Amino acid sequence: MHGGASVGFLAPLDHAEALAWWQGRAAGVAAGRLAVWAALDGDRVTGTVTLALPDKPNSRHRAELVKLMVHQEARGRGLGRRLLATAEEAAAAAGITLLHLDTETGSPAEHLYRTGGWTRAGVIPDYAADPSGVLRPTTLYYKHLTPA
């Protein structure tokens, strides 16, 4: 986020606020509504990815990919691609056949998704604020999976 990535937070994001946000995800993980993976370098988290799983009977075939984040110092080494593959493989193993996500239009993340086989569905203007609070467009993507 400090490098300008739009991942849902506004700057400045202090440690206590970030910690509280992550602790707030614990109930969703315990209830099976969220699946979270973290990449570690020793005891330091260098990246994360989350799948938000549906709770409605008519949408059990799909999930949303959220919070794919790679620390600035760990970028450019394929970690984002490995996290994405991990989430996709786990989703397919769970019988998920459709993933969807949104990302800031024009962000470096778009390259990752396009080259990872994701399909652009469209753009929503003024969808979310970037870390400085400026409203930015968001691009929606989806990917069909073959169940494992």
Side-chain angles (χ1 to χ4, degrees):
M1 190 197 105
H2 295 293
S6 180
V7 288
F9 304 108
L10 296 176
L13 177 66
D14 66 28
H15 180 77
E17 185 181 356
L19 180 61
W21 186 88
W22 279 108
Q23 289 173 334
R25 308 288 73 84
V29 171
R33 291 186 317 269
L34 294 174
V36 180
W37 293 267
L40 302 174
D41 182 5
D43 61 353
R44 184 171 175 243
V45 175
T46 55
T48 68
V49 66
T50 301
L51 283 178
L53 303 165
D55 60 355
K56 295 180 231 154
N58 73 339
S59 58
R60 293 199 175 126
H61 66 289
R62 64 181 158 99
E64 182 177 10
L65 187 99
V66 295
K67 296 291 184 268
L68 174 56
M69 300 184 282
V70 175
H71 192 280
Q72 279 179 256
E73 295 172 10
R75 290 185 188 150
R77 295 184 226 153
L79 179 55
R81 192 157 311 280
R82 289 193 306 274
L83 287 166
L84 187 58
T86 296
E88 290 173 1
E89 290 166 11
I96 300 293
T97 58
L98 179 67
L99 291 177
H100 61 98
L101 63 85
D102 66 82
T103 191
E104 184 178 322
T105 303
S107 70
E110 281 201 279
H111 176 74
L112 173 67
Y113 301 128
R114 279 193 313 268
T115 60
W118 289 70
T119 301
R120 182 179 180 268
V123 175
I124 302 173
D126 298 335
Y127 185 78
D130 68 14
S132 66
V134 175
L135 291 179
R136 301 276 299 143
T138 291
T139 303
L140 305 175
Y141 285 89
Y142 67 91
K143 185 172 187 177
H144 287 281
L145 303 176
T146 303

